[in-house]
Amino acid sequence: MTIAQDARLAVLIDADNASANHLERLNTEIALLGKASVRRAYGDWTKPQLNSWKNVLLNYSIQPIQQFAYASGKNATDASLIIDAMDLLYTGRFDGFCLVTSDSDYTRLAQRIREQGLLVYGFGKRDTAKPFMQACDRFTYLEVFDSDSTGTMDLDFYDSADMLFSMDKNQFKPVDVAITLVKLAIASMADDQGWANIAPVKNYILKVEPDFDSRLFHFDKFSHFLKAYPRFFELEERYPNEDGHKVIFVRNLMHGSEKDSRSPNGSINPSND
């Protein structure tokens, strides 16, 4: 998956199941993906539970779209967002969509956008249904934005026994599952000497598991995650690439190196650099 800084994005937010508290970090994250040409938030703004949004919409130039609930128990917001998304899709003016929602009802919308050849970036809570995650090119948990100034995340969420990639109960699995996935990706992308550029490796992983994010394991960058496990991975910096910047390559260590990334108690839980 190629990310272009000038990619034109349509950002559509289901305010009914997203928190305004994440908006600042969300805006920064989207800026790394491209230019948010359209920014809309959908909901019934007459409801008091959406009051927290009203103070931040103007700050981030997000257009509020009012949608009254026509009947109790029916979510008219979903239909309004989907209709607008399809209208925007058919203009042909966008390179991708950012769907900020934890609602699995948008799964078919994400699939349809991808069928058109556009990228779909999903943002939702930890209880987002797996089918919606898989329908996105990349899925980011909003909880990764719940960090303090030191970058420490919600330990109750990130240090649970189960961590990433469960298909059953949407629970996370331990880091060794992530390491296995990375090793498979490297093997698939490696040259004859076993080296692979980490950029296509990460893109390969995201195609398999769109919710893979090194920040779930307390690492800001994918390269930092790899460096934390010298027992499994060897990294090499090469200069320069076509843009004059260094390129990081990685390869699997078949039997582990002499360096042991295990903690004193023998676990392989990651620690910050």
Side-chain angles (χ1 to χ4, degrees):
M1 177 176 52
T2 302
I3 298 176
Q5 293 297 315
D6 58 350
R8 294 167 297 179
L9 303 174
V11 180
L12 306 180
I13 304 171
D14 182 356
D16 288 339
N17 58 52
S19 172
N21 295 332
H22 296 126
L23 199 53
E24 180 177 359
R25 293 289 302 276
L26 176 66
N27 187 61
T28 301
E29 187 84 2
I30 292 174
L32 297 174
L33 302 174
K35 179 180 180 181
S37 300
V38 169
R39 304 172 186 174
R40 299 179 185 177
Y42 297 78
D44 185 350
W45 302 104
T46 63
K47 293 182 177 181
Q49 54 263 41
L50 294 185
N51 285 342
S52 60
W53 280 93
K54 297 178 182 179
N55 296 327
V56 296
L57 291 176
L58 289 177
N59 292 339
Y60 295 99
S61 189
I62 298 174
Q63 180 184 4
I65 305 297
Q66 169 63 29
Q67 181 57 60
F68 292 104
Y70 297 121
S72 178
K74 303 295 184 180
N75 196 341
T77 298
D78 293 8
S80 180
L81 190 154
I82 291 171
I83 291 171
D84 279 7
M86 296 306 295
D87 286 342
L88 293 170
L89 177 64
Y90 290 139
T91 66
R93 296 188 290 113
F94 299 94
D95 301 300
F97 281 71
C98 297
L99 303 179
V100 185
T101 180
S102 303
D103 194 337
S104 62
D105 289 344
Y106 294 105
T107 300
R108 180 56 188 142
L109 173 62
Q111 292 171 336
R112 181 64 186 86
I113 294 172
R114 290 185 65 182
E115 289 171 1
Q116 200 71 17
L118 277 66
L119 295 171
V120 179
Y121 304 105
F123 299 86
K125 296 179 290 187
R126 63 175 296 186
D127 59 355
T128 303
K130 193 68 175 184
F132 177 67
M133 296 182 192
Q134 291 288 358
C136 300
D137 290 285
R138 174 181 293 184
F139 185 88
T140 300
Y141 293 98
L142 292 173
E143 284 87 351
V144 302
F145 302 147
D146 292 330
S147 61
D148 58 27
S149 58
T150 64
T152 302
M153 301 179 188
D154 181 359
L155 296 182
D156 290 338
F157 177 61
Y158 294 101
D159 289 349
S160 58
D162 295 323
M163 282 197 76
L164 196 60
F165 311 136
S166 173
M167 295 295 290
D168 298 328
K169 298 180 180 179
N170 209 48
Q171 296 292 317
F172 292 127
K173 290 183 179 179
V175 68
D176 59 323
V177 177
I179 288 175
T180 299
L181 178 62
V182 173
K183 292 169 94 173
L184 292 172
I186 293 172
S188 299
M189 309 297 294
D191 59 19
D192 292 341
Q193 286 73 45
W195 291 101
N197 187 321
I198 68 168
V201 167
K202 183 177 180 181
N203 289 340
Y204 177 93
I205 294 171
L206 290 172
K207 290 178 181 178
V208 178
E209 291 290 349
D211 59 334
F212 177 86
D213 194 326
S214 60
R215 291 173 297 186
L216 293 172
F217 307 102
H218 308 285
F219 297 102
D220 291 337
K221 297 181 179 180
F222 180 51
S223 60
H224 294 170
F225 173 85
L226 296 173
K227 289 177 182 178
Y229 297 99
R231 187 166 179 268
F232 302 107
F233 308 114
E234 180 181 1
L235 279 76
E236 178 180 280
E237 295 182 354
R238 301 180 185 179
Y239 295 86
N241 65 1
E242 295 178 354
D243 300 322
H245 299 109
K246 67 181 180 182
V247 179
I248 300 177
F249 282 75
V250 62
R251 68 178 175 183
N252 293 321
L253 294 177
M254 299 304 294
H255 303 291
S257 68
E258 294 299 319
K259 298 179 181 179
D260 197 336
S261 64
R262 292 178 180 270
S263 61
N265 63 7
S267 67
I268 58 171
N269 289 326
S271 60
N272 286 322
D273 292 341

